[in-house]
Amino acid sequence: MGGQYKITGDKYPRMRPARRRGRVVVAAVASVTVLGVLGWGTLQLIDVFTGGDKASAAGAAGCATPARASASPAAVVLPKPGRVTVNVLNATTRSGLAQKTADELKKRGFRVGDVSNAPKEYDKKVAGAGVLLGPAASAKTSLTVLGTQLPGAEHRTDAARKGAAVDLIIGNGFKGLAKPADADAALAGLTAPRPTPAAEKKGC
C-alpha cells in the first residue's frame, strides 16, 4: 500500500475483537441463569411438599372441633306414681265416671284421694278430655306424671293452692285413660336420661 500509511515488518494489526472473551461472558451469564432457575424450582418443590402440610395444619388449627359439651346424661327427677295423690272429680253428667277412673288410676300405682263431682266453676264447663289442676310446684312434677295417663288434658296450676295433691277433672270429651302400655312408654320417656347436645363446628 502506498501513500501516507505504510505497513512494515511481518506483523499485521488485528482488525476484529477476540471471540474467546465474548464466549466466556455468554457462558457465565447462561450458567448464572440456569442456576437461578434451578434454585427457584427447588424452592418451589420444597414449598409444595412442606408448605401444604403447614397450610393443612393451620387449617386444622383454625377449624379445630370445639370442645364438646358434657355428654353426661341429664336425668329428669320426677315422682313415681305411688307418690302422687290424685283427686278424681267428675264434671260431666255421666254418673260413676269418677269412681271408674279412680279405680283404674289406683291399678296403675297412683294414690287416690277424693272421688266426687267437680266444683261449680268446673261442673259441666270442661269441654275437652279433662283438666289437671295442682299447686304451682306440681307443674313439672306431679302434673307431668299424671299427664301421661290422660295426654289430651289441660294442665293448670293454682298459686294459692296448698298441699301436694292434684286434681283430675273429667270433661265432656273424656273417652278413657291412655292405654297402660302407652302411658308406661310416655312415663319412661320422661325419666330417661338425655345427653346434652354437642357444640356445633363452625367456620370450616
Side-chain angles (χ1 to χ4, degrees), residues 83-157:
R83 297 181 64 86
V84 179
T85 300
V86 185
N87 301 318
V88 184
L89 310 175
N90 187 3
T92 73
T93 57
R94 291 178 281 174
S95 62
L97 193 57
Q99 187 61 58
K100 181 180 179 180
T101 304
D103 291 342
E104 183 60 30
L105 286 173
K106 191 172 183 179
K107 289 180 183 178
R108 300 184 184 191
F110 289 87
R111 292 180 180 180
V112 175
D114 295 334
V115 179
S116 64
N117 292 325
K120 286 185 178 181
E121 59 264 35
Y122 291 103
D123 189 28
K124 301 179 184 64
K125 297 177 183 179
V126 180
V131 174
L132 305 184
L133 177 65
S138 68
K140 295 183 179 180
T141 56
S142 300
L143 287 185
T144 301
V145 173
L146 183 58
T148 61
Q149 310 302 312
L150 190 60
E154 178 185 352
H155 293 210
R156 296 182 186 178
T157 59

Side-chain angles (χ1 to χ4, degrees), residues 28-101:
V29 172
S31 299
V32 171
T33 302
V34 170
L35 289 175
V37 171
L38 289 175
W40 180 82
T42 302
L43 289 176
Q44 291 299 314
L45 288 174
I46 293 173
D47 186 57
V48 167
F49 288 106
T50 60
D53 293 339
K54 291 179 182 178
S56 299
C63 297
T65 303
R68 288 182 172 272
S70 174
S72 58
V76 178
V77 180
L78 292 173
K80 294 182 178 180
R83 297 181 64 86
V84 179
T85 300
V86 185
N87 301 318
V88 184
L89 310 175
N90 187 3
T92 73
T93 57
R94 291 178 281 174
S95 62
L97 193 57
Q99 187 61 58
K100 181 180 179 180
T101 304

